[in-house]
Amino acid sequence: MSAEYISAALDLDVTGPDHTRRLALTLAQHLNAGDVLLLSGELGAGKTTFTRSLGEGLGVREGVISPTFVLSRVHPNLPDGPRPGGPDLVHVDAYRLSSAEELDDLDLEFSLPRSVTVIEWGRDKAEHLSDSRLELDFTRLTGADARFAYSGAEEFSWDDEDEDENDEDADTPEPRLLRVRAFGPRWEYAFDALKEALQSA
């Protein structure tokens, strides 16, 4: 069932890959099995960097890259990781899918109860998977927007070692805006604590 109302929203200025990593590690501590995240943003906006760091925080098997050609990858929880017994990570790239019906062909409903499910390019395709979700929108700030957001800020850059070939943030020093929107009853009362943690990350 698709959630129809926004419980809360938060805008964050992201200064670079290190900040992206901190935000993802922080968010991971607030996620449980069954949670669904939809990631949006142009190519190279930081979605895969974020998901890789989220997997690190969840304590799943390494090797999180954009599943562009296989569409979906499961990264199992590691018993000797930071969250033994925690949820697996299911990472989906819906860029090549044209509809919710095609997404349903991946049979995500079987892994949803025991996993955190992250779907890149999932808007208008994956809302029906759960009555609650987080939507994260990554936007590059360029020109006047970047100067306004970061006037007087320290220099920063996006490290190409933090990116894989499918999410090329390398050599693109623009800051990012991360908009986090929470939908559904799961986040109606839990989002305040998440908001405070993300703002401090």
Side-chain angles (χ1 to χ4, degrees), residues 77-139:
N77 179 268
L78 296 174
D80 57 350
R83 289 184 62 177
D88 298 336
L89 171 65
V90 174
H91 186 198
V92 179
D93 188 327
Y95 182 75
R96 288 178 167 77
L97 304 181
S98 60
S99 66
E101 288 74 17
E102 289 187 4
L103 185 70
D104 286 343
D105 288 341
L106 300 179
D107 295 327
L108 296 177
E109 67 271 17
F110 295 108
S111 61
L112 275 170
R114 62 179 184 275
S115 305
V116 170
T117 302
V118 175
I119 305 174
E120 298 186 31
W121 308 99
R123 181 167 294 164
D124 298 325
K125 303 171 188 173
E127 289 84 354
H128 65 288
L129 292 175
S130 173
D131 64 354
S132 298
R133 66 186 185 276
L134 291 177
E135 291 191 1
L136 289 80
D137 299 319
F138 295 82
T139 304

Side-chain angles (χ1 to χ4, degrees), residues 21-72:
R21 179 176 179 271
R22 294 198 306 271
L23 289 170
L25 291 173
T26 298
L27 176 59
Q29 303 312 305
H30 292 258
L31 296 176
N32 300 319
D35 286 336
V36 174
L37 283 66
L38 307 187
L39 274 56
S40 300
E42 63 183 308
L43 291 171
K47 300 183 299 297
T48 300
T49 294
F50 186 90
T51 306
R52 181 183 301 120
S53 301
L54 191 76
E56 180 184 351
L58 290 171
V60 303
R61 186 176 61 198
E62 294 181 358
V64 176
I65 61 174
S66 182
T68 303
F69 298 103
V70 298
L71 299 181
S72 177

